[in-house]
Amino acid sequence: MAAGFPESIDDRLPDDLRPGETVLVSACLLGEDTAWDGRDNTVPALVAALHRARVEILSLCPEMLGGLPARRPPAEPERGDGRLVAAGRARILTRGDGRDVTDAFLAGAREAAARAVAAGVRYAFLQERSPSCGVAWTHAGGATVPGPGVTAALLAEAGITVVGIGRGPRPGG
């Protein structure tokens, strides 16, 4: 189950979000330096809205849970999206040297899904366009393509509503 979320969040969170409820959030969206380039993708409006909603935040970076460092070569599925990777029908390769990092992506995605289920998470707010966390858009084969990243696919499979934060494809892919 996937839901889009506007770039400008204001305070429009799901209507049935309850104070004290645990939500999963991509760590980079919360200001943690976990993106592939060692930076963050902070969305202050999301952070403020979640704090106003008085929810508990489970902050995770699936790629780091899988053993990859905060500063790492960019990587993406060779083709398709995270569903193909989760099904064992595509690999995730680093750009440039083509190193296979599929196992790390899968391990992190599985751990993130297990932690979310154990915490009773119903909503996950994830970084759009990420090969792990993208909800409606991910990177694959050198382009931005429609479809979920590996973690978003496994969370949705577990019945968690995944909400993409950020934009779809940039002009030119």
Side-chain angles (χ1 to χ4, degrees):
M1 178 181 275
F5 218 59
E7 182 73 16
S8 174
I9 294 164
D10 302 316
D11 57 356
R12 295 178 290 170
L13 295 178
D15 291 338
D16 63 343
L17 199 58
R18 299 180 300 264
E21 177 175 0
T22 301
V23 298
L24 186 150
V25 183
S26 294
C28 63
L29 294 173
L30 297 171
E32 297 181 41
D33 296 331
T34 58
W36 68 270
D37 58 3
R39 298 189 308 192
D40 68 78
N41 295 311
T42 307
V43 178
L46 173 66
V47 175
L50 292 173
H51 284 292
R52 281 193 305 277
R54 298 188 337 261
V55 295
E56 297 293 322
I57 296 173
L58 175 60
S59 173
L60 297 175
C61 174
E63 294 169 29
M64 291 183 68
L65 281 176
L68 297 173
R71 185 174 290 278
R72 55 194 172 272
E76 60 190 34
E78 57 194 337
R79 61 183 170 78
D81 61 31
R83 293 173 294 208
L84 280 181
V85 175
R89 298 192 339 242
R91 299 175 301 160
I92 295 184
L93 306 175
T94 58
R95 283 191 220 148
D97 65 1
R99 188 168 52 95
D100 188 339
V101 290
T102 307
D103 289 344
F105 272 75
L106 285 171
R110 289 176 181 140
E111 181 63 22
R115 290 184 187 189
V117 168
V121 167
R122 294 186 305 135
Y123 293 104
F125 300 90
L126 305 175
Q127 173 65 48
E128 199 62 89
R129 293 191 317 262
S130 160
S132 285
C133 295
V135 173
W137 297 94
T138 190
H139 290 283
T144 304
V145 300
V150 180
T151 300
L154 291 183
L155 291 170
E157 189 176 289
I160 295 168
T161 299
V162 291
V163 180
I165 303 297
R167 297 173 307 280
R170 292 188 173 126

